[in-house]
Amino acid sequence: MEPLCNNGSERHEWHYNQIGNRTKSWAFSGHVRYVSGAEGDRLRGELAVVIRDLLDWAATQHAEQVDDQEAA
């Protein structure tokens, strides 16, 4: 991921480029929005739930791969 860059406005940008094999590559970008107070707390809570779900999914995927390797 490229570091945050200041584009001359109050909004900072982030960029992520991933080059895949052959013809597949991806480019993502976005703007950073600072939020505080109750709205910030709500968004942090939602983000924590998403991260927990992703970590659970990743652990399940890893366990399935280990099981497949042991069965082979």
Side-chain angles (χ1 to χ4, degrees):
M1 183 181 303
E2 296 177 22
L4 294 178
C5 58
N6 190 338
N7 62 1
S9 70
E10 295 293 318
R11 300 175 72 181
H12 295 281
E13 296 178 350
W14 60 268
H15 302 276
Y16 176 76
N17 297 312
Q18 180 178 356
I19 298 175
N21 55 2
R22 297 191 182 159
T23 60
K24 292 185 179 182
S25 62
W26 298 268
F28 304 93
S29 65
H31 296 276
V32 176
R33 182 177 63 137
Y34 296 97
V35 182
S36 61
E39 179 71 2
D41 291 340
R42 183 186 67 77
L43 290 173
R44 278 188 293 280
E46 288 181 11
L47 182 59
V49 169
V50 169
I51 290 171
R52 183 195 66 215
D53 291 346
L54 285 171
L55 289 172
D56 288 344
W57 174 84
T60 302
Q61 295 296 309
H62 178 70
E64 289 175 2
Q65 288 177 351
V66 168
D67 290 344
D68 290 344
Q69 289 173 352
E70 289 176 354

